[in-house]
Amino acid sequence: GLVSAGSPILAEENVEKRIPPHPISSHGVDYYLRVKGDSMIEVGIFDNDLIAVNKDLKIKKGSIVIARINEEVTVKTLKEFSANEVILKAENPNYKDIIVNPNNIAFHFEGTCVGLIRNIS
């Protein structure tokens, strides 16, 4: 699939290819998402990287998370999380944090980034 590292983008299931199991992480990988954008470059996540996602790992502050806001998804660092406010931090000074009140908007954590694959060819 595809995930935005910038402004959230429309989430739709789009399987590019199947990747065989790989010991990329001790947490397990449920699926990979191709990154589109540059909002996470300061933590080493670049445009066109594949991020490995575990959908069952406990979400905690400081984790790199995949978040669904309405029908759009984005990858960001979880800065704050409470019943009334979620702050998703961009890791690029050119982007503002995304602040969401989960009581007023459809919000869901899709998973946690547990690894990365980069094509260096």
Side-chain angles (χ1 to χ4, degrees), residues 5-20:
S7 298
I9 59 172
L10 181 63
E12 56 184 74
E13 189 171 314
N14 179 19
V15 177
E16 285 182 24
K17 64 182 172 179
R18 304 269 182 221
I19 298 174

Side-chain angles (χ1 to χ4, degrees), residues 47-95:
D47 189 55
N48 214 35
D49 284 348
L50 284 176
I51 56 172
V53 180
N54 180 298
K55 62 184 179 180
D56 297 320
L57 197 62
K58 183 176 166 111
I59 302 292
K60 58 185 178 182
K61 288 197 311 188
S63 296
I64 297 172
V65 298
I66 293 73
R68 180 182 298 270
I69 305 166
N70 289 322
E71 291 303 313
E72 299 177 330
V73 291
T74 190
V75 58
K76 298 285 182 280
T77 300
L78 180 59
K79 185 174 179 180
E80 293 292 331
F81 177 52
S82 71
N84 298 317
E85 183 177 67
V86 177
I87 301 175
L88 302 171
K89 181 182 187 296
E91 298 290 354
N92 178 334
N94 295 324
Y95 292 87

